[in-house]
Amino acid sequence: MTSETITAAAAGTWELGDLTVNRIGFGAMRLTQRGEAFGAGATPRDRGRAISVLRRAVELGVNHIDTAAFYFSPLRSANELINQALAPYPDDLVITTKVGPGRDPSGEWVPHATPEQLRGQVEENLRQLGRDHLDVVNLRIVGTDSIAERFGALAELRDAGLIRHLGISNVRPEHLPEAQAIAPVVCVQNQYGIGARPEQDEFLRTCGEQGVAFVPFYAIVGAGREAGASGADSDEVRAVARAHGATPAQVRLAWTLHRGPHVLAIPGTGNPDHLVENVAASALRLSADELARLDSLHTGGE
């Protein structure tokens, strides 16, 4: 498919609270290093190349960037790259970050933040991004425990003006009403893509019914997670890609966007050519037959 002039606007828009974003955005996780994200001894990406990718994303209409203070490698911080590349920020740019996880200066993971520690993580994001408030902050969790105390701490920071909107990440369906009882939730960010666990389909639909954005991560790489795409796509995905002159990654992104108008995509890359391809997926329209074939692959598992 032709990608040179396609912008993120081709996928349409969604509202994160009072903020309008194009439905295809950019994830900053892979921006700081080559190879596996968070890998020991990761090789930092070239600073100039990373900055050019960010600026090109905005030129292509991306106005939703997902980041975190724990996205860093030796010599590189995603937040600081975003600051250097894009500040002063365009008025329509929405930067979403997440708190909860943390890494020490050597890159080792530390226990998730307590409610009292979340303010420090919010302030770290503010400082690195050079902002006086954060557009959207997701509370990212691990496990099934109650999120009320931690989400309540973020709600207090929202009331104090440090955060505009709140979301939740890596959560179970029961966490959404728990959070909503404390403060409005504008987005749920969970792992999702072709072959995702069936319960995520129902959760995605629930979010749509309530006007909550559903923001998949690992929509392209699937089980590859931090390691990235394996290149071992199914025959069905490859056949649809050939029919459109597209890549399998574009088909996976397009299928994800077809799951509902409230579904946003945040593919990440440090490769400018892949960035253009990812944004171009916003214009890829799949036929009913193609969607049915991919849906069958999804429900059957890859």
Side-chain angles (χ1 to χ4, degrees):
M1 61 183 296
T2 301
S3 60
E4 293 305 318
T5 60
I6 296 172
T7 72
T13 63
W14 187 258
E15 306 291 325
L16 293 173
D18 61 348
L19 303 172
T20 302
V21 297
N22 289 324
R23 292 180 58 219
I24 194 153
F26 179 83
M29 184 181 71
R30 300 191 182 281
L31 200 61
T32 66
Q33 77 290 307
R34 298 182 180 278
E36 182 173 349
F38 314 122
T43 302
R45 286 195 185 273
D46 177 79
R47 175 178 289 275
R49 184 178 173 93
I51 287 173
S52 68
V53 166
L54 285 163
R55 290 176 176 167
R56 181 61 174 148
V58 172
E59 289 173 357
L60 290 170
V62 169
N63 60 2
H64 176 211
I65 295 179
D66 176 81
T67 186
F70 56 84
Y71 288 173
F72 67 84
S73 66
L75 305 179
R76 300 287 180 265
S77 155
N79 282 350
E80 291 170 353
L81 288 169
I82 291 167
N83 188 347
Q84 183 174 352
L86 303 177
Y89 298 108
D91 291 341
D92 67 338
L93 180 64
V94 174
I95 300 177
T96 298
T97 189
K98 59 190 72 65
V99 295
R103 299 164 71 201
D104 66 24
S106 71
E108 293 296 319
W109 292 100
V110 298
H112 276 216
T114 64
E116 295 75 22
Q117 293 170 329
L118 288 173
R119 183 182 183 106
Q121 290 192 343
V122 167
E123 291 176 344
E124 181 181 24
N125 280 279
L126 287 168
R127 181 179 64 257
Q128 292 176 350
L129 290 166
R131 302 291 297 271
D132 60 6
H133 75 280
L134 299 173
D135 296 323
V136 182
V137 173
N138 286 315
L139 174 65
R140 181 173 174 82
I141 70 163
V142 172
T144 61
D145 294 343
S146 169
I147 65 172
E149 192 175 4
R150 286 167 289 171
F151 194 77
L154 292 181
E156 292 178 0
L157 297 178
R158 174 180 176 269
D159 292 343
L162 298 183
I163 301 171
R164 191 161 182 169
H165 297 296
L166 295 173
I168 49 180
S169 176
N170 203 42
V171 294
R172 294 174 178 265
E174 58 268 23
H175 288 131
L176 178 58
E178 183 181 24
Q180 288 171 319
I182 297 168
V185 174
V186 300
C187 57
V188 168
Q189 189 183 96
N190 270 16
Q191 183 175 350
Y192 188 78
I194 294 175
R197 299 188 306 274
E199 62 267 24
Q200 291 298 315
D201 287 324
E202 181 59 34
F203 197 11
L204 182 152
R205 286 191 290 269
T206 298
C207 287
E209 291 166 358
Q210 298 183 19
V212 175
F214 190 89
V215 189
F217 57 84
Y218 300 141
I220 295 177
V221 304
R225 296 175 62 86
E226 292 90 347
S230 66
D233 283 286
S234 67
D235 291 341
E236 291 88 346
V237 173
R238 291 184 179 277
V240 174
R242 285 194 299 271
H244 288 272
T247 67
Q250 288 175 317
V251 169
R252 288 176 176 274
L253 284 172
W255 177 87
T256 300
L257 291 170
H258 275 79
R259 301 301 282 177
H262 66 297
V263 178
L264 311 181
I266 49 170
T269 182
N271 183 312
D273 294 330
H274 290 168
L275 168 69
V276 173
E277 291 175 355
N278 289 343
V279 172
S282 62
L284 180 55
R285 303 293 184 258
L286 303 177
S287 69
D289 178 65
E290 289 168 335
L291 287 171
R293 288 161 61 191
L294 295 173
D295 289 351
S296 177
L297 178 65
H298 171 63
T299 56
E302 288 194 274

